[in-house]
Amino acid sequence: MLSIEVDRFARMSQIRYQRDIERIDLPIPAKIRQLPIFSDPELASETKQRIKFVLIYINGVILLISGGLGYLLAGKTLQPIKEMVDEQNRFISDASHELRTPLTALKSSMEVHLRDRKLTLQQAKKLIRENISDVNKLKTLSDALLTLASFEKRKEVKLSGKVNLSKLVCECMEDLEPLAKERHIMFKSNLGSFSVWGDMHKLTELVTILLDNAIKYSKEDGLVSLKIRAEKGFVLFSVKDNGIGIKKDNLPLIFDRFFRAEEQRNTIGYGLGLAIAKNIVELHRGQISVESIYGKGSTFIVKLPQNKFS
Ligand code: ADP
């Protein structure tokens, strides 16, 4: 296009030059009148070459800058997707690891008993009972994993409305009373009358996890205190126990999936309760925190919005 423009410019200059010369009333020889002003075709082609070079150079720079920017922007856009895929892969490998150990134990115990020719009916029944108990534990684990996985689709979860948290906590306490009694643990509560915006079933699950842990990790004859109070549009619910407490190093890990303190590795549990609790709180746009002194006890505090959030 620029080359055409250069030619056009030369043509037009020639026409104008001749028109202007004709207007002059002086005896100019015809040779001079017809003299082309762009008499040097080499100069014209050199100009074209230079324009071509400048254009290639400028376009190259534009291409490089836009390519680089495009690469950076694409990276930025894809980062959350990459993080999500990484998180999903971590979840799958954690879950498979947790499922493999009890399944292998179950399989080998059945194989050993199957090879035993002298296996009595009584022994077989005992084995089946043990297996059923293991299968139940596996079911608990898979249920917890499914609950965690469902939080990935959190946008689909609808928070139904106002929930009377005080009443809900009271009901959870009643449900867990037999478990507490078994371990001679007392409940003390100051619940008032407070409501939050959320999902009743999920909040029940959250309170149950915290209460269950408070009982599980309390010493015999312990005391679990539950309190609810309001503060600047939020409701603060706390569960305090005077149990085994959590080591300072473990505090930042406590809400991680599959995290269990060293001392609890051999007891029942999969380290999923607090991860689920954290997800439920985040779903309600709240916060969960823990304060603990090792050997003295722990306090879990949940902060939830009182009113509907957009
Ligand atoms: P689980 O109780 O099944 O192991 P959780 O996710 O509920 O799984 O808890 C993770 C870990 O946090 C527990 O293994 C325990 O070490 C610690 N923990 C949770 N709650 C308490 C508590 N109230 N007191 C002391 N330690 C606790």
Side-chain angles (χ1 to χ4, degrees):
M1 288 287 286
L2 272 166
S3 169
I4 292 168
E5 277 303 302
V6 169
D7 290 341
R8 188 180 156 273
F9 172 76
R11 243 186 1 263
M12 292 308 288
S13 302
Q14 185 71 36
I15 292 166
R16 272 191 199 173
Y17 164 77
Q18 271 166 9
R19 201 177 51 205
D20 290 347
I21 264 194
E22 269 154 26
R23 272 200 216 124
I24 301 171
D25 262 354
L26 285 171
I28 300 168
K31 260 188 184 175
I32 292 180
R33 277 179 194 272
Q34 272 147 30
L35 204 69
I37 56 162
F38 262 101
S39 56
D40 192 348
E42 254 177 51
L43 194 67
S45 106
E46 194 192 309
T47 310
K48 281 187 209 169
Q49 282 297 86
R50 280 179 66 85
I51 289 172
K52 230 189 252 172
F53 175 74
V54 169
L55 274 179
I56 289 171
Y57 178 75
I58 291 174
N59 279 327
V61 171
I62 290 173
L63 215 72
L64 271 178
I65 293 174
S66 55
L69 278 176
Y71 180 77
L72 278 178
L73 284 175
K76 257 202 165 156
T77 319
L78 291 177
Q79 189 59 23
I81 299 169
K82 186 182 173 297
E83 276 167 17
M84 204 180 78
V85 172
D86 287 351
E87 174 60 23
Q88 269 178 358
N89 286 342
R90 251 195 319 272
F91 182 80
I92 291 167
S93 83
D94 285 352
S96 331
H97 178 78
E98 290 298 318
L99 284 167
R100 220 170 67 182
T101 319
L103 279 175
T104 314
L106 202 65
K107 183 173 171 259
S108 46
S109 99
M110 283 197 280
E111 278 172 353
V112 167
H113 281 83
L114 198 66
R115 264 188 251 121
D116 184 358
R117 289 187 186 184
K118 292 178 199 145
L119 186 76
T120 63
L121 185 65
Q122 230 175 0
Q123 283 170 323
K125 277 190 175 171
K126 186 172 168 265
L127 172 75
I128 292 171
R129 265 196 300 276
E130 282 168 5
N131 286 353
I132 288 175
S133 146
D134 287 343
V135 169
N136 282 338
K137 282 183 215 156
L138 276 169
K139 191 181 173 297
T140 314
L141 171 60
S142 73
D143 285 348
L145 285 172
L146 275 175
T147 309
L148 265 181
S150 74
F151 286 107
E152 297 295 318
K153 300 180 251 164
R154 62 179 60 196
K155 280 196 188 104
E156 289 166 28
V157 182
K158 285 220 164 58
L159 300 178
S160 37
K162 278 256 171 194
V163 178
N164 187 332
L165 189 67
S166 306
K167 193 166 158 243
L168 186 147
V169 173
C170 211
E171 283 165 7
C172 290
M173 270 167 61
E174 277 167 22
D175 288 346
L176 289 168
E177 190 85 56
L179 197 69
K181 269 202 177 131
E182 229 174 72
R183 305 205 57 219
H184 307 287
I185 288 161
M186 286 258 298
F187 282 145
K188 188 180 141 197
S189 61
N190 180 2
L191 304 176
S193 177
F194 297 98
S195 295
V196 291
W197 189 270
D199 178 87
M200 203 177 74
H201 300 291
K202 296 247 174 299
L203 288 172
T204 306
E205 201 174 350
L206 165 72
V207 175
T208 308
I209 290 169
L210 296 180
L211 267 184
D212 185 50
N213 276 354
I215 298 169
K216 235 173 17 183
Y217 302 114
S218 272
K219 296 163 196 157
E220 292 244 335
D221 301 316
L223 179 74
V224 174
S225 314
L226 297 112
K227 211 192 254 177
I228 306 182
R229 66 188 167 90
E231 193 185 277
K232 293 177 194 156
F234 285 90
V235 164
L236 280 100
F237 164 59
S238 64
V239 183
K240 184 177 178 197
D241 65 65
N242 56 359
I244 59 169
I246 302 159
K247 281 185 186 158
K248 214 174 163 192
D249 292 351
N250 288 341
L251 282 175
L253 310 170
I254 208 86
F255 297 102
D256 287 356
R257 220 168 38 211
F258 299 115
F259 175 81
R260 308 201 73 213
E262 285 287 325
E263 312 86 90
Q264 276 89 57
R265 295 274 155 84
N266 299 323
T267 58
I268 305 163
Y270 297 100
L272 290 176
L274 287 180
I276 293 175
K278 189 171 179 247
N279 271 294
I280 295 174
V281 173
E282 282 172 358
L283 183 75
H284 287 79
R285 312 277 170 93
Q287 287 159 11
I288 184 165
S289 57
V290 58
E291 291 162 7
S292 185
I293 301 173
Y294 188 55
K296 294 231 158 121
S298 317
T299 308
F300 283 84
I301 303 152
V302 174
K303 190 176 175 184
L304 296 168
Q306 268 178 314
N307 297 312
K308 190 178 180 179
F309 36 83
S310 51

